[in-house]
Amino acid sequence: MLHPTHSPRQRRRSRVALAGLIGATVLVMSACSSPSASSSKIDPNADAKSVSGTITVMVPPGELTPANIAEFNKEYPKVTVKQIDEDPVKLKALQAAGDPPDIWRPTGPQIPALVAQGQLLDLTTALHVAGVDDSSTYPAARLYTVKGKQYGAPKDWSPDFTIFVNNKLFEKAGIPVPDPKVPMSWAQIGDLARKLTVSSGGATSQFGLTGSWELLGPARTIQVALAESGESLYAKDDKSIRLASNPHAVKALQFIADLAKDGATHSPLNPSATWGGDEFMKGTVAMANYGYWFNASIDSGKTAVGTDYTLLPAPYWNDPSSRIDPTVSATGWVISSKTKNAQAAFELLKWYLAGPQAVERAQAGWGYPALKSNTKYLPHDTAVDKQVLDVVDSDAKVSPSLHFNQYYDDGAFTNSYNKHLQEYIKGQIDIKQFASEIQNDVNGTIADGVSAIG
């Protein structure tokens, strides 16, 4: 658990909680979903001293501390903020009971489904008056906009497919550290991962790569591979997945699965005891395929990696000229359509996402800011922070907003992948059967979502 008295630079997000959010079906389906409520009940220019009431916020304690709330109350003395720890199971139960927290933190890919279910308050006008719109934010913020209506914003984001390299492990293996100014292909990264894996007697003491698909789900990695060539993983109406029938999708699936089959990355048959980022920090993973947010966990030099690491730009799948590095997470804040105090909830959301707290988070390097104006606050004084930021600044220019399915949480894809990956590793099914099994499972879940939403 994160200690509430830690400074912003010391606070670190809980990766276990994030992984749980991806794996759990946070979305609550109802047979008669109502449309998302309007923000007409919010006065964008309300006087801070006059706003009153109690609001409940479900976020990790390290992301909204008692000190943060005290700062907020200096401007809004009549608002009582109750923070409850993030818990996907509890959130699902509260949503089903019709009594969700006023504010919670989904990831961007979950927004279309939450909107379809009528779970979110439309904040378009209020956010635009607050200066949070397409002109002031990066494309990652578009994940919170559905059919022209804005339902929140990322608290921060990252181009999610950059790769952290442990320079010492490369040197030990006699492999030169790649030039961070020249993007590599995923095939080249896969070759490096295999060369950097160390195992003996069936036990792996060093993995070559921990992939973003382990933390954020394989569906999103495949989506990026397809987006690079202008394709989509889902049908235009979102009512089916196109995996087994798309050779490019199967190729991306096989790339991920073969790394696991070859033991170069984790799998259900050879899992991490904690998570891949922790193993990178301990010096037992050579490359970590994570976004900018991860830098805040290691740039202090207090892990086994020290500051002897390099950030590489996101690899490309086929054509380097079409390379992209989108976010597939973009955790942010939203307000429930069932809130009983929309005004107070919006004032806290605005303060957190676009006010002083947003500047404080940027200074801590938790992630790339949603607001373009806050990038100047990102850490850049040390050599390693500057090298990392140079890569991220460049990749942020090739970071489009992807489309995510409105009928299901892609944790269902992850569950199917993990189940059938074991059969693939054991040679019980081939890659075509693997893709077909996932496609059948996911289409079943999507069909349930279509039926439930109506």
Side-chain angles (χ1 to χ4, degrees):
M1 181 175 289
L2 302 175
H3 197 286
T5 60
H6 283 178
S7 70
R9 198 73 178 118
Q10 292 171 311
R11 284 182 250 140
R12 301 295 180 242
R13 287 184 285 188
S14 168
R15 299 300 150 197
V16 174
L18 178 58
L21 274 172
I22 300 303
T25 305
V26 182
L27 312 177
V28 177
M29 301 292 186
S30 64
C32 300
S33 298
S34 59
S36 294
S38 169
S39 58
S40 59
K41 60 184 87 171
I42 297 174
D43 177 2
N45 300 306
D47 175 55
K49 304 297 182 185
S50 67
V51 179
S52 62
T54 298
I55 54 175
T56 301
V57 185
M58 179 180 276
V59 295
E63 290 189 8
L64 185 67
T65 68
N68 297 149
I69 295 172
E71 283 297 313
F72 173 75
N73 284 145
K74 289 179 181 179
E75 295 182 48
Y76 298 88
K78 296 180 181 179
V79 177
T80 300
V81 179
K82 294 184 177 180
Q83 182 270 332
I84 56 177
D85 289 357
E86 186 175 61
D87 182 336
V89 176
K90 183 175 182 179
L91 176 61
K92 181 179 178 181
L94 291 172
Q95 288 173 325
D99 188 28
D102 297 286
I103 294 173
W104 76 91
R105 65 192 288 276
T107 61
Q110 294 171 331
I111 299 301
L114 290 169
V115 171
Q117 297 153 28
Q119 293 282 348
L120 304 184
L121 186 67
D122 172 11
L123 303 175
T124 308
T125 300
L127 282 173
H128 286 191
V129 172
V132 182
D133 55 27
D134 286 357
S135 66
S136 65
T137 59
Y138 288 95
R142 313 297 183 271
L143 294 177
Y144 286 75
T145 297
V146 178
K147 297 179 180 179
K149 296 181 179 180
Q150 191 172 356
Y151 295 91
K155 64 184 186 62
D156 48 48
W157 67 284
S158 295
D160 276 321
F161 291 87
T162 49
I163 296 179
F164 289 85
V165 165
N166 184 324
N167 296 340
K168 295 175 185 176
L169 296 185
F170 270 69
E171 181 180 353
K172 185 178 179 180
I175 299 174
V177 173
D179 184 349
K181 296 182 181 179
V182 182
M184 302 178 72
S185 70
W186 274 109
Q188 290 172 313
I189 292 296
D191 290 342
L192 286 175
R194 291 175 175 88
K195 291 176 182 177
L196 289 158
T197 297
V198 179
S199 58
S200 178
T204 305
S205 58
Q206 177 179 302
F207 286 92
L209 175 70
T210 182
S212 61
W213 51 86
E214 297 172 29
L215 190 63
L216 301 173
R220 300 180 190 184
T221 298
I222 296 171
Q223 281 183 269
V224 174
L226 295 178
E228 187 180 284
S229 56
E231 298 177 84
S232 174
L233 183 59
Y234 303 103
K236 288 184 179 180
D237 62 4
D238 278 350
K239 293 183 178 180
S240 63
I241 189 170
R242 296 175 174 178
L243 177 63
S245 59
N246 187 326
H248 292 152
V250 174
K251 180 181 177 181
L253 173 67
Q254 184 166 10
F255 173 82
I256 299 170
D258 282 353
L259 281 174
K261 188 173 185 178
D262 295 342
T265 192
H266 301 103
S267 75
L269 297 177
N270 196 4
S272 169
T274 51
W275 65 289
D278 179 64
E279 293 194 28
F280 183 88
M281 288 186 275
K282 291 176 179 176
T284 57
V285 166
M287 297 183 289
N289 172 213
Y290 295 143
Y292 176 62
W293 57 265
F294 187 61
N295 191 56
S297 297
I298 58 177
D299 67 345
S300 67
K302 295 180 181 179
T303 72
V305 181
T307 55
D308 195 6
Y309 62 91
T310 301
L311 184 66
L312 304 182
Y316 59 90
W317 289 94
N318 296 298
D319 181 359
S321 66
S322 300
R323 186 184 71 92
I324 58 174
D325 188 6
T327 184
V328 292
S329 51
T331 301
W333 279 22
V334 294
I335 297 176
S336 169
S337 59
K338 294 179 173 61
T339 181
K340 296 178 177 63
N341 196 334
Q343 188 70 53
F346 176 73
E347 298 301 336
L348 178 61
L349 179 143
K350 177 179 70 173
W351 178 85
Y352 191 82
L353 298 180
Q357 184 57 24
V359 172
E360 183 179 316
R361 285 197 315 281
Q363 292 170 333
W366 277 29
Y368 216 66
L371 288 172
K372 297 175 183 177
S373 59
N374 284 342
T375 56
K376 61 179 176 286
Y377 299 112
L378 293 168
H380 58 272
D381 292 335
T382 67
V384 71
D385 279 341
K386 186 177 185 307
Q387 189 276 317
V388 166
L389 191 56
D390 283 347
V391 169
V392 176
D393 282 342
S394 179
D395 272 23
K397 297 174 183 176
V398 290
S399 187
S401 177
L402 299 185
H403 170 77
F404 293 93
N405 196 290
Q406 64 181 302
Y407 293 115
Y408 92 124
D409 182 312
D410 60 17
F413 187 114
T414 301
N415 292 339
S416 181
Y417 170 85
N418 286 332
K419 173 185 175 183
H420 298 296
L421 175 61
Q422 299 177 58
E423 299 168 347
Y424 179 72
I425 290 174
K426 294 175 182 178
Q428 297 170 349
I429 58 174
D430 61 23
I431 194 63
K432 292 183 179 179
Q433 291 170 307
F434 189 9
S436 294
E437 292 287 359
I438 295 174
Q439 180 167 291
N440 291 337
D441 289 346
V442 169
N443 277 337
T445 304
I446 290 175
D448 290 341
V450 173
S451 176
I453 291 174

Coordinates of all heavy atoms in Angstrom, one line a residue, residues 393-442:
D393 N 9.0 12.4 -25.8 CA 8.5 13.6 -26.5 C 8.4 13.3 -28.0 O 7.4 13.7 -28.7 CB 9.5 14.7 -26.4 CG 9.4 15.5 -25.0 OD1 8.4 15.3 -24.4 OD2 10.3 16.2 -24.7
S394 N 9.3 12.5 -28.5 CA 9.3 12.1 -29.9 C 8.1 11.2 -30.2 O 7.4 11.4 -31.2 CB 10.6 11.5 -30.4 OG 10.6 11.1 -31.7
D395 N 8.0 10.2 -29.4 CA 6.9 9.2 -29.6 C 5.5 9.8 -29.4 O 4.5 9.3 -29.9 CB 7.1 8.0 -28.7 CG 8.0 6.9 -29.4 OD1 8.8 7.3 -30.3 OD2 7.9 5.7 -29.0
A396 N 5.4 10.8 -28.5 CA 4.1 11.4 -28.3 C 3.6 12.1 -29.6 O 2.4 12.3 -29.8 CB 4.2 12.5 -27.2
K397 N 4.5 12.3 -30.6 CA 4.1 12.9 -31.9 C 3.5 11.8 -32.8 O 2.9 12.2 -33.8 CB 5.2 13.6 -32.5 CG 5.8 14.7 -31.7 CD 7.1 15.3 -32.3 CE 7.7 16.4 -31.5 NZ 8.9 16.9 -32.0
V398 N 3.7 10.6 -32.5 CA 3.1 9.5 -33.3 C 2.2 8.6 -32.4 O 2.3 7.4 -32.4 CB 4.2 8.6 -34.0 CG1 4.9 9.5 -35.0 CG2 5.2 8.1 -33.0
S399 N 1.4 9.3 -31.6 CA 0.5 8.6 -30.6 C -0.9 8.9 -30.9 O -1.5 9.7 -30.2 CB 0.9 9.0 -29.2 OG 0.3 8.2 -28.3
P400 N -1.5 8.2 -31.9 CA -3.0 8.4 -32.2 C -3.9 7.8 -31.1 O -3.5 7.0 -30.3 CB -3.2 7.8 -33.5 CG -2.2 6.6 -33.5 CD -1.0 7.2 -32.8
S401 N -5.1 8.3 -31.1 CA -6.1 7.7 -30.2 C -6.7 6.5 -30.9 O -7.3 6.6 -32.0 CB -7.2 8.7 -29.9 OG -8.2 8.2 -29.1
L402 N -6.7 5.3 -30.3 CA -7.3 4.1 -30.8 C -8.8 4.0 -30.5 O -9.3 4.6 -29.6 CB -6.5 2.9 -30.3 CG -5.0 2.8 -30.7 CD1 -4.5 1.5 -30.2 CD2 -4.8 3.0 -32.1
H403 N -9.4 3.1 -31.2 CA -10.8 2.8 -31.0 C -10.9 1.5 -30.1 O -10.3 0.5 -30.4 CB -11.6 2.6 -32.3 CG -13.0 2.0 -32.1 ND1 -14.0 2.8 -31.6 CD2 -13.5 0.8 -32.2 CE1 -15.1 2.1 -31.5 NE2 -14.8 0.8 -31.8
F404 N -11.8 1.6 -29.1 CA -12.0 0.4 -28.2 C -13.4 0.0 -28.2 O -14.3 0.8 -28.4 CB -11.4 0.6 -26.8 CG -9.9 0.8 -26.8 CD1 -9.3 2.1 -26.9 CD2 -9.1 -0.3 -26.7 CE1 -8.0 2.2 -26.9 CE2 -7.7 -0.2 -26.7 CZ -7.1 1.1 -26.8
N405 N -13.7 -1.3 -28.0 CA -15.0 -1.9 -28.1 C -15.9 -1.4 -27.0 O -15.6 -1.4 -25.8 CB -14.9 -3.4 -28.2 CG -16.1 -4.1 -28.7 OD1 -17.1 -4.1 -28.0 ND2 -16.0 -4.6 -29.9
Q406 N -17.2 -1.1 -27.4 CA -18.2 -0.6 -26.5 C -19.0 -1.7 -25.8 O -19.7 -1.5 -24.9 CB -19.1 0.3 -27.1 CG -20.0 -0.4 -28.2 CD -20.9 0.6 -28.9 OE1 -21.8 1.2 -28.3 NE2 -20.8 0.7 -30.3
Y407 N -18.8 -3.0 -26.3 CA -19.7 -4.1 -25.8 C -19.0 -5.0 -24.8 O -19.7 -5.9 -24.2 CB -20.2 -4.9 -26.9 CG -21.2 -4.1 -27.8 CD1 -20.8 -3.8 -29.1 CD2 -22.4 -3.6 -27.3 CE1 -21.7 -3.0 -29.9 CE2 -23.2 -2.9 -28.1 CZ -22.9 -2.6 -29.4 OH -23.7 -1.8 -30.2
Y408 N -17.7 -4.9 -24.6 CA -17.1 -5.8 -23.6 C -15.8 -5.1 -23.0 O -15.2 -4.2 -23.6 CB -16.8 -7.1 -24.2 CG -15.4 -7.3 -24.9 CD1 -14.6 -8.4 -24.5 CD2 -14.9 -6.5 -25.9 CE1 -13.4 -8.6 -25.1 CE2 -13.7 -6.7 -26.5 CZ -12.9 -7.7 -26.1 OH -11.7 -7.9 -26.6
D409 N -15.3 -5.6 -21.9 CA -14.1 -5.3 -21.3 C -13.1 -6.3 -21.9 O -13.3 -7.5 -21.7 CB -14.2 -5.3 -19.8 CG -12.9 -4.9 -19.1 OD1 -11.8 -5.4 -19.5 OD2 -12.9 -4.1 -18.2
D410 N -12.0 -5.8 -22.5 CA -11.1 -6.8 -23.1 C -10.3 -7.6 -22.1 O -9.4 -8.4 -22.5 CB -10.1 -6.1 -24.1 CG -9.2 -5.0 -23.5 OD1 -9.1 -5.0 -22.2 OD2 -8.7 -4.2 -24.2
G411 N -10.6 -7.5 -20.8 CA -10.1 -8.5 -19.9 C -10.6 -9.9 -20.3 O -9.9 -10.9 -20.0
A412 N -11.7 -10.0 -21.0 CA -12.2 -11.3 -21.5 C -11.2 -11.9 -22.5 O -11.1 -13.1 -22.6 CB -13.6 -11.1 -22.1
F413 N -10.7 -11.1 -23.3 CA -9.6 -11.5 -24.3 C -8.4 -12.0 -23.5 O -7.9 -13.1 -23.8 CB -9.2 -10.3 -25.2 CG -8.3 -10.7 -26.3 CD1 -8.8 -10.6 -27.6 CD2 -7.0 -11.1 -26.1 CE1 -7.9 -10.9 -28.7 CE2 -6.2 -11.5 -27.2 CZ -6.6 -11.4 -28.5
T414 N -8.0 -11.3 -22.5 CA -6.8 -11.7 -21.7 C -7.1 -13.1 -21.1 O -6.2 -13.9 -21.1 CB -6.5 -10.7 -20.6 OG1 -6.3 -9.4 -21.3 CG2 -5.3 -11.1 -19.8
N415 N -8.3 -13.3 -20.5 CA -8.6 -14.5 -19.8 C -8.5 -15.7 -20.8 O -8.0 -16.8 -20.5 CB -10.0 -14.5 -19.2 CG -10.0 -13.5 -18.0 OD1 -9.0 -13.2 -17.4 ND2 -11.2 -13.0 -17.7
S416 N -9.1 -15.5 -22.0 CA -9.0 -16.6 -23.0 C -7.6 -16.8 -23.5 O -7.2 -18.0 -23.7 CB -9.9 -16.2 -24.2 OG -9.9 -17.2 -25.2
Y417 N -6.9 -15.7 -23.7 CA -5.5 -15.8 -24.1 C -4.7 -16.7 -23.1 O -4.0 -17.6 -23.5 CB -4.9 -14.5 -24.3 CG -3.4 -14.4 -24.5 CD1 -2.8 -14.6 -25.8 CD2 -2.5 -14.3 -23.4 CE1 -1.5 -14.6 -26.0 CE2 -1.1 -14.3 -23.6 CZ -0.6 -14.4 -24.9 OH 0.7 -14.4 -25.1
N418 N -4.8 -16.3 -21.9 CA -4.0 -17.1 -20.9 C -4.4 -18.5 -20.8 O -3.5 -19.4 -20.6 CB -4.2 -16.4 -19.5 CG -3.4 -15.1 -19.4 OD1 -2.4 -14.9 -20.1 ND2 -3.9 -14.2 -18.6
K419 N -5.7 -18.8 -20.9 CA -6.2 -20.2 -20.9 C -5.6 -21.0 -22.1 O -5.0 -22.1 -21.9 CB -7.7 -20.2 -20.9 CG -8.3 -21.6 -21.1 CD -9.8 -21.5 -21.2 CE -10.4 -22.9 -21.4 NZ -11.9 -22.8 -21.7
H420 N -5.7 -20.5 -23.3 CA -5.3 -21.3 -24.5 C -3.8 -21.1 -24.8 O -3.3 -22.0 -25.5 CB -6.2 -20.8 -25.6 CG -7.6 -21.1 -25.5 ND1 -8.2 -22.4 -25.3 CD2 -8.7 -20.2 -25.4 CE1 -9.5 -22.3 -25.2 NE2 -9.8 -21.0 -25.2
L421 N -3.2 -20.1 -24.2 CA -1.7 -20.0 -24.3 C -1.1 -21.3 -23.8 O -0.1 -21.8 -24.3 CB -1.2 -18.8 -23.6 CG 0.3 -18.6 -23.7 CD1 0.9 -18.5 -25.1 CD2 0.7 -17.4 -22.8
Q422 N -1.6 -21.8 -22.7 CA -1.0 -23.0 -22.1 C -1.1 -24.2 -23.1 O -0.1 -25.0 -23.2 CB -1.7 -23.3 -20.8 CG -1.6 -22.2 -19.8 CD -2.3 -22.4 -18.5 OE1 -2.1 -23.4 -17.8 NE2 -3.2 -21.6 -18.1
E423 N -2.2 -24.3 -23.8 CA -2.3 -25.4 -24.7 C -1.4 -25.2 -25.9 O -0.8 -26.1 -26.4 CB -3.8 -25.4 -25.2 CG -4.8 -25.7 -24.1 CD -6.2 -25.4 -24.6 OE1 -6.4 -24.8 -25.7 OE2 -7.2 -25.8 -23.9
Y424 N -1.2 -23.9 -26.3 CA -0.3 -23.6 -27.4 C 1.2 -23.9 -27.0 O 1.9 -24.5 -27.8 CB -0.4 -22.1 -27.8 CG 0.5 -21.7 -28.9 CD1 0.2 -22.1 -30.2 CD2 1.6 -20.9 -28.7 CE1 1.1 -21.7 -31.3 CE2 2.4 -20.5 -29.7 CZ 2.2 -20.9 -31.0 OH 3.0 -20.5 -32.0
I425 N 1.6 -23.5 -25.8 CA 2.9 -23.8 -25.4 C 3.2 -25.3 -25.3 O 4.3 -25.8 -25.7 CB 3.2 -23.2 -24.0 CG1 3.2 -21.6 -24.1 CG2 4.5 -23.7 -23.4 CD1 3.3 -20.9 -22.8
K426 N 2.2 -26.1 -24.9 CA 2.4 -27.5 -24.8 C 2.2 -28.2 -26.2 O 2.4 -29.5 -26.2 CB 1.3 -28.1 -23.8 CG 1.5 -27.6 -22.4 CD 0.3 -28.1 -21.5 CE 0.4 -27.6 -20.1 NZ -0.7 -28.1 -19.3
G427 N 1.9 -27.5 -27.2 CA 1.8 -28.1 -28.5 C 0.5 -28.8 -28.8 O 0.4 -29.5 -29.8
Q428 N -0.5 -28.5 -28.0 CA -1.8 -29.1 -28.1 C -2.7 -28.5 -29.2 O -3.6 -29.1 -29.7 CB -2.5 -29.1 -26.8 CG -1.8 -29.9 -25.7 CD -2.4 -29.7 -24.3 OE1 -3.2 -28.8 -24.1 NE2 -2.0 -30.5 -23.3
I429 N -2.4 -27.2 -29.5 CA -3.1 -26.5 -30.6 C -2.1 -25.7 -31.3 O -1.0 -25.3 -30.8 CB -4.2 -25.6 -30.0 CG1 -3.6 -24.5 -29.0 CG2 -5.3 -26.3 -29.4 CD1 -4.6 -23.5 -28.6
D430 N -2.4 -25.4 -32.6 CA -1.5 -24.5 -33.4 C -2.0 -23.1 -33.3 O -3.0 -22.8 -32.7 CB -1.4 -25.0 -34.8 CG -2.7 -25.0 -35.6 OD1 -3.6 -24.2 -35.2 OD2 -2.8 -25.7 -36.6
I431 N -1.3 -22.2 -34.0 CA -1.6 -20.8 -33.8 C -3.0 -20.4 -34.4 O -3.7 -19.6 -33.9 CB -0.5 -19.9 -34.5 CG1 -0.7 -18.4 -34.0 CG2 -0.5 -20.0 -36.0 CD1 -0.5 -18.2 -32.5
K432 N -3.4 -21.1 -35.5 CA -4.7 -20.9 -36.0 C -5.8 -21.3 -35.1 O -6.8 -20.6 -34.9 CB -4.9 -21.6 -37.4 CG -4.0 -21.0 -38.5 CD -4.2 -21.7 -39.8 CE -3.4 -21.1 -40.9 NZ -3.6 -21.8 -42.2
Q433 N -5.6 -22.4 -34.4 CA -6.6 -22.9 -33.4 C -6.6 -22.0 -32.2 O -7.7 -21.7 -31.7 CB -6.3 -24.3 -33.0 CG -6.5 -25.4 -34.1 CD -5.9 -26.7 -33.7 OE1 -4.7 -26.8 -33.3 NE2 -6.7 -27.8 -33.7
F434 N -5.4 -21.5 -31.9 CA -5.3 -20.6 -30.7 C -6.2 -19.3 -31.0 O -7.0 -18.9 -30.2 CB -3.8 -20.2 -30.6 CG -3.5 -19.4 -29.3 CD1 -4.4 -19.2 -28.3 CD2 -2.2 -18.9 -29.2 CE1 -4.1 -18.5 -27.2 CE2 -1.9 -18.2 -28.0 CZ -2.8 -18.0 -27.0
A435 N -6.0 -18.7 -32.2 CA -6.7 -17.5 -32.6 C -8.2 -17.8 -32.7 O -9.0 -17.0 -32.2 CB -6.2 -17.0 -34.0
S436 N -8.6 -19.0 -33.2 CA -10.0 -19.3 -33.3 C -10.7 -19.4 -31.9 O -11.8 -19.0 -31.7 CB -10.2 -20.6 -34.1 OG -9.8 -20.4 -35.4
E437 N -9.9 -20.1 -31.0 CA -10.5 -20.2 -29.6 C -10.7 -18.9 -29.0 O -11.8 -18.7 -28.3 CB -9.5 -21.1 -28.8 CG -9.4 -22.5 -29.2 CD -10.6 -23.4 -28.8 OE1 -11.5 -22.9 -28.2 OE2 -10.6 -24.6 -29.2
I438 N -9.8 -18.0 -29.1 CA -9.9 -16.6 -28.5 C -11.1 -15.9 -29.2 O -11.9 -15.3 -28.5 CB -8.6 -15.8 -28.6 CG1 -7.5 -16.4 -27.8 CG2 -8.9 -14.4 -28.2 CD1 -6.1 -15.7 -28.1
Q439 N -11.1 -16.0 -30.5 CA -12.2 -15.3 -31.2 C -13.6 -15.8 -30.8 O -14.5 -15.0 -30.6 CB -12.0 -15.6 -32.7 CG -13.1 -14.9 -33.6 CD -12.7 -14.9 -35.1 OE1 -11.7 -14.2 -35.4 NE2 -13.4 -15.6 -35.9
N440 N -13.7 -17.1 -30.6 CA -15.0 -17.7 -30.2 C -15.4 -17.2 -28.8 O -16.5 -16.9 -28.6 CB -15.0 -19.2 -30.3 CG -14.9 -19.8 -31.7 OD1 -15.3 -19.1 -32.6 ND2 -14.4 -21.0 -31.8
D441 N -14.4 -17.2 -27.9 CA -14.7 -16.8 -26.5 C -15.1 -15.3 -26.5 O -16.1 -15.0 -25.8 CB -13.4 -17.0 -25.7 CG -13.2 -18.5 -25.4 OD1 -14.1 -19.3 -25.6 OD2 -12.0 -18.8 -24.9
V442 N -14.3 -14.5 -27.2 CA -14.6 -13.1 -27.2 C -15.9 -12.7 -27.8 O -16.7 -11.9 -27.3 CB -13.4 -12.3 -27.8 CG1 -13.8 -10.8 -28.0 CG2 -12.2 -12.4 -26.9

